[in-house]
Amino acid sequence: MNATERYLSRRGLLKILGMASGGIAASRWFAPDLTMAQQPARQKAMETFTGPGANPHWNSVGPYITEPQKVPLILLTDRPVQLETPRHYFRTAFTPNEAFYVRWHLDGIPNAVDLKDWKLQIEGNVNKTLALGLSELMQKFKPVSLAAVNQCSGNSRSRLQPRVPGGQWGNGAMGNALWTGVRLRELLDLAGLKSDSQCVQFQGLDTGQGPAGLGSNLFLKSLDLKNPVLDECVVAYAMNGEPLPMLNGFPVRLVVPGYFATYWTKCLTWIRVLNTADENFWMKTGYRMPDTPRGNTTPEDVKAGKVKTIPVERFPVRSFLISPDGSSKIPAGMNVTLHGIAFSGFGAINRVEVSDDGGKNWTAAKLGENHGAYSFRTWEAPWIARSPGRYSIAVRATDEKGNTQPDEPVWNPGGYLWNRIERQELVVGNAS
């Protein structure tokens, strides 16, 4: 089944959501004995990571917990909730909904939505204010589907040296899904933008205590109306052919393909057109990076006030080896297939290469199905464990715009934009 066949019909979604009978709560979405798409690996003793060095593990370090509609995920924080996806769920191009990572900014997150009352409201500097129910979004507009990676801006933050504040994510603050919904541009056109409009702001249902004294108790993000990404944005009501999990933004969330997840507003309820620049904390102060190549700077320049910043936007090209993961010894002489994923916020992946000699020589991997410019793309490469010893397998990707992963680290005070070439040590032992 290809990506475009994976989403449900509008009639099927309406049936699942129970439109005829009214509201829906998280506890009624799925049966408690639902079989998950990929069972989590047997839990092992927790790894240790205390710093100040870089996290040596693929994932972050924390206990596994189970939240509604989720398999056991790695807990970073519980207020606001942050849950990381374990490595083995990235063996395929699409991340199961129940294993998709979770990231909220404020502690007052919704745990149920009554669809009898909920409306998506489009307001502000428009000719006609709109209030659309979920059934209207599904029935009155042509559905579109888009495969796109959702990646936290701080993914891999625990790699940075020196360490920076924030959730110490490993590599699992990301996921890929087929998102189905309504084009944002179609909704804006229906409302009609006034001629002096400058940007469009998005707000969900989460509220709570943001950074003290900064007026950030609402999570608000915006995009300039001149930004061409608006033509690609989708207000999604389905994720991999199912309703969105509550923790991932039910009933609808904004999909901004190629952009970090800070723009992907969950439980999207207000779309507000502004005729001025958005000066709220989450745009003016939060989620900003140095206006330098790769967003790179130094602690010294930051302390000296020399760093001009701009909002984080598109994520750089990345790739990962998913299996083998180094957890077990490989017999010498065995033919092994290396499996992994690659993606970029700037366009489709068109090359992945692997090296086992420190990057002196690179071999092209075989690419999997192309699900679109913003999707994970799987890859595989044969490898022979010729003799006992320790091998460092490196992987790098190149996208269609010619962006290739560098082999240098990055540092900035937000802990953003890490995309250094990843390495995995594999141990080969005697087969006898």
Side-chain angles (χ1 to χ4, degrees):
M1 182 181 296
N2 63 38
T4 58
E5 295 172 329
R6 291 169 61 93
Y7 67 89
L8 296 177
S9 67
R10 283 175 286 178
R11 178 177 294 179
L13 279 168
L14 284 167
K15 184 176 180 181
I16 288 176
L17 292 168
M19 290 295 181
S21 59
I24 186 167
S27 61
R28 299 207 301 273
W29 289 356
F30 299 113
D33 58 348
L34 174 69
T35 300
M36 299 304 181
Q38 289 179 275
Q39 294 297 332
R42 181 175 296 177
Q43 187 168 333
K44 58 183 179 181
M46 192 184 303
E47 303 282 5
T48 58
F49 166 51
T50 58
N55 175 15
H57 311 297
W58 198 91
N59 278 118
S60 62
V61 176
Y64 281 73
I65 68 164
T66 302
E67 294 284 356
Q69 303 175 286
K70 293 293 181 180
V71 296
L73 300 178
I74 302 166
L75 176 68
L76 269 73
T77 64
D78 57 3
R79 284 186 178 273
V81 63
Q82 299 183 78
L83 307 174
E84 183 171 339
T85 302
R87 183 178 189 174
H88 66 278
Y89 285 106
F90 298 106
R91 292 172 181 160
T92 56
F94 291 93
T95 312
N97 291 3
E98 60 271 14
F100 216 92
Y101 87 101
V102 175
R103 165 61 163 131
W104 291 82
H105 298 84
L106 304 173
D107 57 0
I109 67 173
N111 57 25
V113 172
D114 190 334
L115 295 180
K116 296 192 304 295
D117 302 324
W118 179 88
K119 301 288 184 183
L120 175 62
Q121 301 177 57
I122 304 173
E123 58 189 28
N125 205 47
V126 296
N127 296 322
K128 179 174 63 174
T129 298
L130 303 176
L132 302 167
L134 185 56
S135 60
E136 293 176 279
L137 291 172
M138 296 169 62
Q139 294 175 324
K140 294 184 177 181
F141 299 90
K142 180 180 179 180
V144 295
S145 290
L146 172 73
V149 173
N150 176 288
Q151 180 183 204
C152 179
S153 309
N155 196 25
S156 309
R157 182 180 284 125
S158 62
R159 304 288 187 262
L160 270 69
Q161 287 290 290
R163 297 268 295 280
V164 298
Q168 296 300 304
W169 296 105
N171 294 325
M174 61 180 182
N176 185 50
L178 185 73
W179 310 93
T180 300
V182 182
R183 289 198 184 278
L184 173 64
R185 182 62 77 180
E186 190 171 352
L187 298 175
L188 295 177
D189 288 346
L190 184 62
L193 307 183
K194 294 184 177 179
S195 60
D196 60 340
S197 299
Q198 290 193 28
C199 67
V200 56
Q201 184 187 70
F202 308 97
Q203 180 185 342
L205 293 176
D206 46 324
T207 61
Q209 295 297 316
L214 295 172
S216 55
N217 62 311
L218 297 176
F219 187 72
L220 304 168
K221 296 296 292 188
S222 64
L223 292 166
D224 191 287
L225 282 167
K226 296 179 181 178
N227 191 332
V229 77
L230 286 174
D231 294 325
E232 299 182 281
C233 290
V234 173
V235 175
Y237 47 70
M239 177 179 176
N240 291 328
E242 299 174 348
L244 279 67
M246 193 80 232
L247 286 170
N248 294 114
F250 180 85
V252 301
R253 80 176 301 170
L254 184 67
V255 173
V256 188
Y259 274 50
F260 279 114
T262 180
Y263 294 94
W264 293 47
T265 306
K266 295 180 290 296
C267 297
L268 178 63
T269 303
W270 294 273
I271 297 175
R272 196 171 293 118
V273 178
L274 307 181
N275 61 2
T276 60
D278 190 348
E279 297 286 313
N280 95 85
F281 168 82
W282 299 104
M283 291 300 299
K284 186 177 180 179
T285 305
Y287 284 104
R288 297 181 71 88
M289 67 181 196
D291 188 11
T292 60
R294 299 185 64 217
N296 204 19
T297 187
T298 65
E300 293 75 23
D301 281 352
V302 171
K303 187 176 181 179
K306 298 179 180 179
V307 180
K308 176 187 175 183
T309 65
I310 56 175
V312 296
E313 291 188 345
R314 293 187 181 272
F315 47 74
V317 60
R318 303 198 72 180
S319 61
F320 297 94
L321 172 67
I322 303 301
S323 66
D325 62 5
S327 61
S328 59
K329 188 179 292 185
I330 299 172
M334 174 173 281
N335 292 317
V336 176
T337 301
L338 309 176
H339 294 274
I341 55 170
F343 62 99
S344 173
F346 291 89
I349 295 297
N350 61 12
R351 186 166 74 250
V352 173
E353 301 162 289
V354 296
S355 173
D356 67 357
D357 61 3
K360 296 178 182 177
N361 296 284
W362 295 88
T363 301
K366 179 183 177 182
L367 297 179
E369 183 177 351
N370 184 356
H371 295 286
Y374 302 112
S375 173
F376 283 160
R377 190 160 192 184
T378 59
W379 60 266
E380 63 179 45
W383 183 69
I384 300 176
R386 298 187 185 281
S387 58
R390 295 180 180 271
Y391 296 83
S392 179
I393 305 298
V395 55
R396 70 182 182 189
T398 302
D399 66 27
E400 63 183 351
K401 302 292 176 57
N403 301 305
T404 299
Q405 284 180 265
D407 202 14
E408 295 79 35
V410 66
W411 189 91
N412 53 68
Y416 306 139
L417 299 165
W418 183 269
N419 75 325
R420 186 180 189 178
I421 289 172
E422 298 284 335
R423 288 174 168 79
Q424 173 64 59
E425 182 177 274
L426 300 180
V427 178
V428 176
N430 289 314
S432 57

